Amino acid sequence: MTNIFADNILEGKVAFVTGGGTGITGGVARAFAEHGAKLAITSRKIENLEAMKAAVENNGGECLAVAADVRDFEAVQNAIAKTIEHYGKIDIVVNGAAGNFLCAANELSPNGFGTVVDIDTKGTFNVCRAAFEELQKSKGQILNISATLHYLATPMQIHVSAAKAGVDAITRNLSVEWGPHGIRVNGIAPGPIEDTEGMKRLLPEPLKEKITKRVPLGRFGKIADIENAALFLASDAASYINGVTLVVDGGQWLKGTSLG
Ligand code: COA
């Protein structure tokens, strides 16, 4: 898939991307680097970051890899501090770190529910909070990756639905509280995106055809679809867009994400 963005639209920007080693957010990180941004990527495990770091550097970009669990505020503060030490600033924060598994509500333990809320929702808050002063200095922006699961109801996903509803609330609240500080806060809600670890793990192959039929545009999304939305929101072309969560799902949620 081609994109319409000039190679240098993020020239001179530093992007701090959680979950930036793999999957959808890995694609966003790589696209940002291809369009001029210097990267700092984090994940719980440093080995999840190494391939992305090598790919970005082989392509002539810059990439700092720092292990941090977004649930641990001190670890997040440390990752932000290392990024500042390395690059001197942060312009863009992307919150993509997430946890997911399928589980019926009546079988899910309170700790299972809380674990996903801690990673997705509290993790997003932790990173935004830890980056605030730097984003205030750079007049930067935040991009939160959520989902459409909670717009209606998605069985086996009560924990993720609750967590992503919280992420969308964070996007809206911070856009109002931090807009006056010069910080834009937006989100992206991806629909079913192919070739991601999450989709491979969560979606049994026979269901793929059933889901495809429920997408008005008749196909799964590609990681590049999310990359393009992220490039637009991160660019100056979106300089008056604040507090929006852009749905990139081919219209799927309007027909319902449940297959029942
Ligand atoms: N079904 C039901 N409960 C589950 C579960 C599953 N598949 N996976 C984890 N849990 C529960 C655990 O049982 C535990 O609760 P308990 O103490 O009451 O038993 C709780 O969640 C924490 O599990 P644990 O494995 O200790 O957490 P973790 O912090 O190591 O990892 C996840 C949690 C969610 C990140 C883990 O599922 C994971 O590593 N997933 C793969 C990565 C991922 O989700 N990527 C996102 C792709 S969209």
Side-chain angles (χ1 to χ4, degrees):
M1 187 182 286
T2 54
N3 76 48
I4 58 169
F5 304 100
D7 286 350
N8 63 353
I9 55 167
L10 298 180
E11 199 72 58
K13 305 286 186 196
V14 174
F16 180 90
V17 186
T18 74
T22 56
I24 289 175
T25 326
V28 170
R30 195 185 45 240
F32 279 12
E34 282 169 2
H35 290 78
K38 293 172 183 167
L39 291 183
I41 55 174
T42 75
S43 171
R44 260 198 301 179
K45 296 182 191 139
I46 195 82
E47 57 267 30
N48 287 348
L49 301 172
E50 278 157 4
M52 180 63 67
K53 179 175 163 64
V56 169
E57 289 175 349
N58 286 342
N59 206 25
E62 282 186 56
C63 186
L64 176 72
V66 191
D69 187 330
V70 291
R71 292 172 283 191
D72 176 349
F73 187 61
E74 268 182 35
V76 170
Q77 284 180 307
N78 175 50
I80 299 272
K82 281 195 172 142
T83 306
I84 296 301
E85 204 179 292
H86 193 77
Y87 292 123
K89 64 169 186 165
I90 295 174
D91 302 285
I92 306 168
V93 165
V94 181
N95 282 298
N100 200 349
F101 51 81
L102 294 173
C103 190
N106 61 331
E107 287 169 8
L108 182 62
S109 72
N111 190 38
F113 183 93
T115 297
V116 172
V117 170
D118 277 351
I119 298 170
D120 294 22
T121 320
K122 192 173 161 196
T124 295
F125 173 76
N126 284 346
V127 174
C128 293
R129 179 66 192 85
F132 171 72
E133 279 79 12
E134 294 304 328
L135 291 173
Q136 191 181 24
K137 281 186 216 156
S138 64
K139 303 291 176 219
Q141 60 171 296
I142 295 169
L143 201 49
N144 294 326
I145 309 297
S146 64
T148 61
L149 303 168
H150 52 291
Y151 292 180
L152 296 172
T154 309
M156 314 287 280
Q157 293 276 266
I158 191 170
H159 43 316
V160 188
S161 301
K164 295 302 196 184
V167 171
D168 287 353
I170 289 172
T171 299
R172 287 192 293 269
N173 262 71
L174 292 187
S175 70
V176 169
E177 289 198 39
W178 292 0
H181 293 279
I183 302 169
R184 286 195 297 125
V185 187
N186 291 300
I188 294 177
I193 304 298
E194 65 190 5
D195 295 330
T196 60
E197 185 235 323
M199 219 23 101
K200 275 179 211 138
R201 238 173 1 90
L202 302 173
L203 186 70
E205 193 57 34
L207 284 185
K208 201 172 167 187
E209 200 186 324
K210 224 173 161 183
I211 289 186
T212 304
K213 285 192 183 136
R214 290 189 73 91
V215 180
L217 292 186
R219 67 167 175 92
F220 267 56
K222 298 178 188 308
I223 292 178
D225 289 311
I226 308 301
E227 293 172 12
N228 288 334
L231 284 167
F232 166 63
L233 288 173
S235 75
D236 288 344
S239 63
Y240 199 53
I241 298 180
N242 186 32
V244 160
T245 294
L246 182 59
V247 179
V248 185
D249 75 337
Q252 185 214 18
W253 85 265
L254 292 163
K255 286 183 75 175
T257 47
S258 163
L259 291 173

